[in-house]
Amino acid sequence: MRERGRHGVRGDGGGGDGRVKAAAIDCGTNSIRLLIADADPATGELKDLDRRMEIVRLGQGVDRTGRLAPEALERTLEACRRYAAAIEGHGVEAGRIRFAATSATRDAQNRADFVDGVRGILGIEPEVITGMEEAALSYTGATRELTGSGTALVVDIGGGSTEFVLGNREVTAARSVNIGCVRLTERHALSDPPTAAQIAALTADIDAALDEAQEAVPLTGADTLVGLAGSVTTVAAIALELPAYDPAAIHHSRVPAATVGAISDRLLASTHAERAAIPVMHPGRTDVIGAGALILSRIMARSGAAEVVVSESDILDGLLWSTVERRPGRA
């Protein structure tokens, strides 16, 4: 397991020792995250300089309106301003920065407003990546540290979409489907707590999306199920009964399927206040974690996996590695 932020960093931006300083930003439906790291392409080691996350809920209302809400756009651009200051402070060259926007931005009619705003703040062209590109980057980030042979099914449960990627060192199949914790919470107007009828409708929606994913990606038979993103890591933190969110404890933890199911049931039966009182719960996830946990539970039921290996390394790490490994000066 990689130790995060505990090593000395030369920070030479790609000097004689072959190390490269780079930055990546992953802007999803619910959160926007930054990673600035010193990377060694020869050893595959990342040394985090700055890793942070903010809940901005960019995808607020997108499933219903098809547009990014002005207040959601402003929240996200304000976070971009803070991230730009951090990147500048670490002296990262523009050619070593990559910004990727995912589900909410893909679906928005006014995504040009977002792209223009990001370009003006960071001075780089943000990429609105496809679901397939998102899936491949998630696989790279999640599996680069995993050792041993065998196939891995990587599931990245985001705010607006979930990516399924199957591979064995290289990606062999991938599919992105439009189920995510924010999208489903808004689509089903979940009450507090959800009713039995709402949970049944939510489950049917998830299962239909799994049918769609199954058309491209075999969901059974993988040697390892790897789960990514905030819904999964929060479920793992609850399973571990952590007194506070601890990425080092969560990274590569294993959560049995029965435990995931029990936590999903608990969260869906809880009120907002009860979920907010869970020590590891981020305030921005309190209202959507029930849907996210149910997505994970239904995936495990469909795949037959006995456990999920939880990774704190995900699309953000994949984005950074793609930046590190491209030729210097290449846009």
Side-chain angles (χ1 to χ4, degrees), residues 2-317:
R2 184 172 75 243
E3 293 185 354
R4 298 174 181 274
R6 295 180 57 188
H7 303 280
V9 178
R10 299 182 190 213
D12 60 9
D17 65 354
R19 303 193 68 84
V20 177
K21 187 187 292 185
I25 297 173
D26 165 38
C27 185
T29 300
N30 196 42
S31 65
I32 183 168
R33 300 180 301 146
L34 167 70
L35 173 59
I36 304 172
D38 188 56
D40 187 342
T43 64
E45 181 186 18
L46 285 183
K47 295 180 179 179
D48 293 6
L49 299 174
D50 194 342
R51 187 185 287 260
R52 62 176 84 172
M53 181 271 290
E54 296 187 33
I55 300 289
V56 293
R57 197 62 61 84
L58 178 62
Q60 172 191 330
V62 168
D63 191 60
R64 177 177 55 83
T65 68
R67 299 181 62 83
L68 298 171
E71 62 272 26
L73 186 59
E74 182 50 39
R75 286 194 302 267
T76 306
L77 294 179
E78 187 57 39
C80 288
R81 295 181 185 100
R82 290 188 285 272
Y83 288 1
I87 291 169
E88 182 178 5
H90 282 287
V92 181
E93 299 175 358
R96 295 295 186 187
I97 305 168
R98 191 173 183 189
F99 186 114
T102 54
S103 177
T105 313
R106 281 198 300 267
D107 297 341
Q109 298 168 10
N110 60 334
R111 69 182 188 179
D113 295 340
F114 174 74
V115 170
D116 291 345
V118 172
R119 187 190 302 115
I121 293 166
L122 286 160
I124 62 168
E125 190 71 19
E127 304 169 53
V128 182
I129 62 175
T130 67
M132 293 296 287
E133 289 172 317
E134 185 177 356
L137 288 165
S138 294
Y139 185 87
T140 298
T143 63
R144 185 151 187 149
E145 294 176 303
L146 294 177
T147 58
S149 59
T151 57
L153 174 61
V154 175
V155 294
D156 184 346
I157 302 173
S161 64
T162 295
E163 282 64 54
F164 297 81
V165 198
L166 185 70
N168 188 347
R169 298 183 183 274
E170 299 292 335
V171 173
T172 57
R175 173 64 64 90
S176 177
V177 294
N178 281 336
I179 53 169
C181 58
V182 174
R183 187 187 296 271
L184 292 187
T185 299
E186 292 186 350
R187 179 182 294 171
H188 294 277
L190 298 183
S191 56
D192 183 35
T195 66
Q198 288 174 334
I199 294 172
L202 185 62
T203 301
D205 203 352
I206 295 168
D207 288 349
L210 296 182
D211 290 340
E212 179 185 346
Q214 179 79 43
E215 294 173 0
V217 181
L219 299 184
T220 60
D223 296 300
T224 307
L225 175 67
V226 183
L228 314 181
S231 291
V232 178
T233 58
T234 300
V235 167
I238 294 171
L240 293 168
E241 299 182 344
L242 297 177
Y245 194 91
D246 182 352
I250 295 166
H251 191 49
H252 288 178
S253 62
R254 296 171 180 268
V255 185
T259 302
V260 171
I263 291 172
S264 173
D265 290 344
R266 170 189 165 190
L267 292 170
L268 288 168
S270 300
T271 65
H272 185 279
E274 289 168 337
R275 295 190 300 274
I278 297 172
V280 297
M281 188 68 63
H282 190 289
R285 296 200 190 283
T286 307
D287 60 334
V288 298
I289 187 60
L294 184 59
I295 293 171
L296 177 61
S297 180
R298 298 306 298 168
I299 289 171
M300 297 191 74
R302 178 68 67 92
S303 69
E307 63 181 12
V308 59
V309 176
V310 180
S311 178
E312 285 276 352
S313 300
D314 51 27
I315 184 175
L316 188 61
D317 300 73

